[in-house]
Structure formats: C-alpha cells, structure tokens
Amino acid sequence: MNNLKLVTQIEEVVPVDIGIIGVVSIAFTAALLVPRGHHDEDQEIVIWTDSDWAGDKATRKSCSGVAIFSGGCVLMTTSRTQQLLAQSSGEAELYALTAGVAEGLLMKRLMSELGVTCGLVNRVDSLAAKAWVSKK
C-alpha cells in the first residue's frame, strides 16, 4: 500500500426503508486509490467486452459482459441481458461493445470529476464488431 495515493474520498448517506421500524440512514464511504506517479500523468481506461449470442434458451437473447480496468486494477464488471435480439454473433458483440463504451465513458467522466485525466481503450475479440466500428 506504500505505492498508492488517496485521490479523494466520497461519502454518501442513503436512507434505507426497513419496513415497520422505519427509515435508517446508512453512510457509504468510497475512496479512489491511484498508484503514485500516475495521478498527474495520462492514464488509460481499458474496456474488455464480450457476449454470448442467444445464450438464453427461452428468449434467445444474448448477454453482454463488460470489465473495466485502469492501472492494472479492476474498476467495474457488469453482465446484462441485451434488450434486442441479435441476428448474428457479430451483432451481439457490437451491442456488448457499445454497452462497454457507454460504461467506460461514465467511468472516464467520474475520474475527470476526481481530477484524473485518462483515455479510453476498448478490447473486443470479434472481428465483425471491429469492422462495424471502424467503418466510416
């Protein structure tokens, strides 16, 4: 932990309804730790995306998986069922890629609010999704 620097600390008080007893306030504390020497330099947020085409046997909907890294640390992971029916595995990968970029832009905005400048890099294993994105 000697090589980490505390950038900022966020506290949020959230009311929680616990039924008959009433509402209780719970305090959540979060901190962003950035490796020393990286706070003032440009960093990259790396977004890994993947999907399974028609993985849900009942609805034939695909699932998008997103993992976001920065400085070798996992910032966020998510897995969601896609709302649209993909007609091909490439289309399912494209939907996953766009979901990942949306989450990455949100993470970039959050880090910029904390004073950390960073870029976005997306990693996807689908040649079809890469081709669709690279079209002009």
Side-chain angles (χ1 to χ4, degrees):
M1 275 241 169
N2 292 345
N3 62 346
L4 295 178
K5 175 181 176 182
L6 179 65
V7 173
T8 189
Q9 190 168 351
I10 306 164
E11 285 195 25
E12 182 180 356
V13 177
V14 178
V16 177
D17 188 1
I18 55 173
I20 298 172
I21 298 172
V23 175
V24 176
S25 292
I26 299 176
F28 292 99
T29 303
L32 176 64
L33 297 175
V34 178
R36 288 190 194 278
H38 290 273
H39 178 65
D40 298 325
E41 299 173 8
D42 287 342
Q43 302 193 85
E44 287 186 340
I45 294 176
V46 181
I47 307 162
W48 288 88
T49 60
D50 200 7
S51 72
D52 68 338
W53 179 41
D56 187 345
K57 300 300 180 203
T59 64
R60 303 304 295 161
K61 289 187 176 179
S62 305
C63 182
S64 296
V66 178
I68 299 179
F69 297 84
S70 182
C73 300
V74 176
L75 299 179
M76 186 188 105
T77 61
T78 182
S79 176
R80 293 190 185 113
T81 301
Q82 295 175 358
Q83 296 303 309
L84 300 171
L85 281 175
Q87 300 300 311
S88 67
S89 60
E91 187 178 353
E93 291 282 351
L94 180 65
Y95 294 152
L97 186 140
T98 55
V101 170
E103 296 288 346
L105 288 171
L106 179 66
M107 191 61 65
K108 180 179 178 177
R109 176 66 188 248
L110 174 64
M111 291 183 76
S112 70
E113 291 287 330
L114 299 174
V116 179
T117 305
C118 54
L120 287 178
V121 176
N122 192 33
R123 305 281 188 231
V124 63
D125 61 351
S126 169
L127 292 175
K130 287 179 189 178
W132 274 328
V133 170
S134 64
K135 283 185 180 180
K136 294 182 180 178

